């Protein structure tokens, strides 16, 4: 019998060990040896037993036979191991600069000895379609027919479905997925975790029965493994879940759908820092599948691709239920100040709330705090202090004045507004608790619920509040932007962004894009049923293009203005942008690395190639020290992504034991 050897990647996340080691497969285990299998092997001088992954098999020993150790145990499942998953891991390793083992752990399900608590999804409640027969409207039909015809011809493509909130995108996905399944192929549908509600799941269960598998991020590894096993065994046709559902080992994938494709949760914040859209694109091309991206507010990147003809663009312009889009009012808070109203509620808001209380309709008030970076603005004219190099709002730091956390540019805190001379210039602050208190004084009879980090920390705190509000047990829901996303309440007719400017000046280049998404989502919440809705956006800058276009429900207009800004400063999708986080517990070592970087010939040469590359920093992070780590940040923008990958390779050589670098490429 010929000997069988296996290349194993040890399960130790360390760059030096991130290569294959050859082991002998003992005769008794040969049946189980397949690429992708999870193994136990003796490792190192002490022959400590460690875990690893089997990558490749061969009959050729790479070193003297006698020196090759034997595999101790193989845990494999004939159905699961997939050479294509190994291929995907290779690609991710290169694209996102991670170790092979991390990439493998991301894409391969790991069997655990944990007994599975099989996830039961309640599907007994509710009437979905939210089985009555619904006829697709003309816009829906055009889209579905085109995609189906392409599939029938064996043509694959990427489609961007731009449909206003409630326009019936989900119905289109189901229609196309049914078609794919009827042809014997399978489908993956990604949705942001937050919209993984029983309503969505119910709609799919209703249509696809037991042939649908639901993945969520709260599942244990064992539970996830069981679901993936069903996929590989051909027991399911459709997988729904957040970004990790992309790694479901389905056979013969015909379509991948990414709903709410603009959502930030599709980007992994841990290594490998992949974006689901990029990985889905890779898988679709490899598998010969089509890709559908859907959103009411497509990401600027995807819309840019659609405009360039890389994606096919379809539109759903009307709400399917015939409900009108709500009226949106941008309230100028400077005018409120002039009129002597110094509180955080505009007169229009107070009146609108009063009417809702009278009519027993519900209201939602939110503060978009996320990414909030302490920008400084004038309450009289609305002027915001911005960096002269980056056109990004500067952050106020007590003691060191105003600072740009892209390039490090700083200037002393101003006492007067440089534009109008008013002394009412200061940092911007507001909290949900203050809002709740203010409501209690204004409307003592109103029942108010508050949803933020404090009130949702208890297990199920989040769903308890949502359930109270949806039952109508409160008049007003106050919260952070989390209340705006993914929830539908029939009786809500008023939605207000109390301080829209907060996320507008979050200090990074996507701030306007995120704010526009959020305000559009907010508008999608009000007046869904047969009662007309009203949206109030409170701002000090009503002429800002983001506010103007969201008030007009004008995505296209927003896109054009935003692209003007991106072009001027070469932000993605114009160029690629790499963020390099440099950190160390040893400040001296960090400063030395910074100086080495500044003086390195390699970087100095690059700095002269302004037509191809722009280097910003290194500068201190907006928060320089976190948990005794000192942090710097550097940005490199470039037309070509390969240049960035090369820089990444060179710079990682500068890492030392004391100084850690983390790279994140925002591909255009
Ligand atoms: P989206 O995913 O775009 O937000 P949904 O697919 O959830 O929209 O549809 C919103 C509502 O409109 C749902 O209640 C759905 O059943 C209904 N709907 C969708 N398409 C139609 C249609 N062609 N005719 C009638 N109702 C529809
Ligand atoms: Zn001013
Ligand atoms: Zn700057």
């Amino acid at each position: 019998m010929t000997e069988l050897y296996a290349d194993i990647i040890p399960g130790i996340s360390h760059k030096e060990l991130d290569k294959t080691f050859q082991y002998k497969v003992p005769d008794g285990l040969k049946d189980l040896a397949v690429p992708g299998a999870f193994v136990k092997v003796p490792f190192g001088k002490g022959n400590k037993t460690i875990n690893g992954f089997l990558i490749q098999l061969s009959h050729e020993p790479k070193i003297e036979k006698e020196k090759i150790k034997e595999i101790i145990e193989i845990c494999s499942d004939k159905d699961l191991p997939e050479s294509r998953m190994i291929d995907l891991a290779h690609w991710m390793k290169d694209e996102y600069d991670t170790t092979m083992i991390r990439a493998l752990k991301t894409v391969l399900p790991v069997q655990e000895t944990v007994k599975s608590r099989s996830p039961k999804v309640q599907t007994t409640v509710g009437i979905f379609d939210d089985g009555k027969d619904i006829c697709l409207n003309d816009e829906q039909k055009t889209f579905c027919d085109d995609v189906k015809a392409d599939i029938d011809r064996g043509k694959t493509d990427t489609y961007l479905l731009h449909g206003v909130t409630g326009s019936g995108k989900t119905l289109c996905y189901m229609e196309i997925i049914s078609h794919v399944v009827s042809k014997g192929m399978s489908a993956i549908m990604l949705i942001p975790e937050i919209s993984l509600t029983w309503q969505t799941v119910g709609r799919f269960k209703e249509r696809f029965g037991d042939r649908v598998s639901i993945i969520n991020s709260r599942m244990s590894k064992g539970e996830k493994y069981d679901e993936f096993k069903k996929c590989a065994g051909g027991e399911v046709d459709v997988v729904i879940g957040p970004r990790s559902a992309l790694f479901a080992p389905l056979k013969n994938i015909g379509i991948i759908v990414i709903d709410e494709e603009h959502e930030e949760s599709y980007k992994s914040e841990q290594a490998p820092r992949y974006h689901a859209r990029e990985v889905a694109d890779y898988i679709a091309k490899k598998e010969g599948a089509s890709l559908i991206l859907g959103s009411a507010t497509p990401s600027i990147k995807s819309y840019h691709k659609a405009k360039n003809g890389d994606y096919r663009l379809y539109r759903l312009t009307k709400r399917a239920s015939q409900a009108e889009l709500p009226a949106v009012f941008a309230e100028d808070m400077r005018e409120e100040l002039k009129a002597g109203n110094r509180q955080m509620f505009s007169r229009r808001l107070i009146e609108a709330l009063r009417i809702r209380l009278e009519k027993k309709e519900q209201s939602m008030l939110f503060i978009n705090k996320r990414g909030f970076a302490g920008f400084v603005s004038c309450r009289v004219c609305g002027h915001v202090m911005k960096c002269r190099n980056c056109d990004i709002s500067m952050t106020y730091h007590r003691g060191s004045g105003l600072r740009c956390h892209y390039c490090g540019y700083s200037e002393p805190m101003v006492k007067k507004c440089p534009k109008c001379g008013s002394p009412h210039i200061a940092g911007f602050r507001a909290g949900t608790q203050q809002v709740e208190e203010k409501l209690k004084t204004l409307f003592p009879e109103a029942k108010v619920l508050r949803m933020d980090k404090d009130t949702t920390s208890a297990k199920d705190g989040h769903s308890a509040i949502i359930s109270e509000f949806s039952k109508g047990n409160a008049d007003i829901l106050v919260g952070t932007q989390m209340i705006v996303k993914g929830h539908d309440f029939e009786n809500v007719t008023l939605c207000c962004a109390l301080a829209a400017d907060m996320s507008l000046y979050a200090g990074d280049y996507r701030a306007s894009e995120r704010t526009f998404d959020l305000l559009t989502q907010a508008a999608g919440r009000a007046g869904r049923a047969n009662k007309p809705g009203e949206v109030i956006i409170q701002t000090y800058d009503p002429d800002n293009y983001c506010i103007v276009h969201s008030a007009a429900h004008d995505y296209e207009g927003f896109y054009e203005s935003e692209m003007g800004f991106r072009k001027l400063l070469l932000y993605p999708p114009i160029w690629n942008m790499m963020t390099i986080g440099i950190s160390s517990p040893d400040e001296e070592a960090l400063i030395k690395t910074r100086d080495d970087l500044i003086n390195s010939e390699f970087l100095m040469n690059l700095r002269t190639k302004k037509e191809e590359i722009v280097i910003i920093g290194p500068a201190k992070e907006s928060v320089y020290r976190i948990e005794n780590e000192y942090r710097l940040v550097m940005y490199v923008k470039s037309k070509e992504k390969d240049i960035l990958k090369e820089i990444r390779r060179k710079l990682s050589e500068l890492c030392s034991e004391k100084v850690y670098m983390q790279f994140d490429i925002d591909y255009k």
Side-chain angles (χ1 to χ4, degrees), residues 129-130 134-137 140 164 166-171 203 320:
D129 292 330
D130 222 88
I134 296 183
C135 295
L136 297 177
N137 62 37
Q140 289 172 319
V164 299
S167 57
K169 296 184 287 295
T170 309
L171 196 67
R203 284 169 80 174

Side-chain angles (χ1 to χ4, degrees), residues 577-627:
M577 178 157 148
M578 177 160 70
T579 305
I580 306 154
I582 312 165
S583 60
S584 176
D586 180 338
E587 192 175 12
E588 228 169 89
L590 186 71
I591 300 296
K592 180 169 181 319
T593 307
R594 185 195 65 189
D595 294 343
D596 289 350
L597 278 171
I598 291 171
N599 299 320
S600 86
E601 214 171 304
F602 171 66
L603 283 187
M604 278 208 225
N605 280 336
L606 287 175
R607 280 186 207 269
T608 61
K609 301 184 178 167
K610 289 219 162 55
E611 301 75 43
E612 288 164 55
I613 197 156
V614 175
I615 300 177
I616 307 162
K620 286 181 181 173
E621 273 275 23
S622 55
V623 184
Y624 177 45
R625 188 174 163 195
I626 293 182
E627 292 176 354

Side-chain angles (χ1 to χ4, degrees), residues 398-417:
R398 216 171 276 165
S400 62
L402 295 164
R403 201 158 75 206
C404 167
H405 72 148
Y406 269 14
C407 69
Y409 170 78
S410 69
E411 59 182 57
M413 177 60 186
V414 288
K415 296 220 166 62
K416 273 196 219 157
C417 172

Side-chain angles (χ1 to χ4, degrees), residues 334 377-384 416-425:
R334 298 171 305 186
S377 70
C378 171
R379 302 292 189 269
V380 174
C381 76
H383 179 74
V384 173
K416 273 196 219 157
C417 172
K419 197 169 157 206
C420 75
S422 146
H424 296 285
I425 186 159

